[in-house]
Amino acid sequence: MKRIVLVLMLLLVLSAALPAFAQDAVASVNTGSLNVRTGPGMQYGSVAALPFGFGVQMVARNAEGNWIQIALTNGVTGWVNLNYIFTQYPTHNLPISESPVPATVTPTAVVTGALNLLVYNGPSMDNAVIATVPAGTRIILLGRNYNSTLAQVQLADEAVGWVQATALTATVPVRSLALADGSVFVPYAPSLPISPTTGGTNGGTSSSYQTYVVLPGDSLSTIAQHFGVSMSSIAALNNIWNYNLIYVDQQLIIPA
């Protein structure tokens, strides 16, 4: 009898605690590796990568509600995409913030893919070599080129240059760094006036188009295959200059 009473008391305590927990502004990572960025958008660099199931405290959201500012127990703050976290808290109740946060953690990398890594003075291997870095050296990551094949780095003597990304083992994915080669992150920007189902005129001929919202796991290749069109036709219609650079919730125009 006493055991039954203890079980009932425990259930009562848990039932009282669960609603309170559900109201906490907390979330967990629901993807394999979640980039924590310095601002609410894909154009911002990453300061950390969180594993699946990692718990975070939510502190704010952007005006659209698709990016959440989080705070980690080690003092790191940053922004994550809402699609890659799970929470029972109503995120629309979070205060609105659009401000980037200072990078509280400096991304670094260790040279592992070359005995002596060449450092170039620009974002191309056609540029002049300004230094070599031996294997095992830790360097600071500053940015990347448009397709993440080269990383901009700072050496121990504070010299800045560019190295091959494949020769690095980094604390964050090189592709998550901010662009530093003069290129820009271009979100959805159609070159033709369109409605949701029909486009404008192109050379005087009326054309029909479909729209598609990018989902997690999509690539330009899989989208093109699904609709039976070429990647180049989708890229041209949506002003996409980098076939590897599309993002979740981006609206694409698909040619008929």
Side-chain angles (χ1 to χ4, degrees), residues 164-190:
Q164 292 186 64
T166 54
L168 303 176
T169 298
T171 57
V172 299
V174 170
R175 67 180 181 276
S176 71
L177 298 171
L179 288 165
D181 64 344
S183 59
V184 295
F185 177 83
V186 183
Y188 170 67

Side-chain angles (χ1 to χ4, degrees), residues 13 20 25 27 64 77 91 102 111 130 133 136 150 178 184 191 199 229 238 244:
V13 171
E64 290 79 11
T77 59
T91 56
V111 178
I130 59 173
V133 181
L150 297 173
V184 295
S191 56
V229 297
N238 293 275
N244 295 317

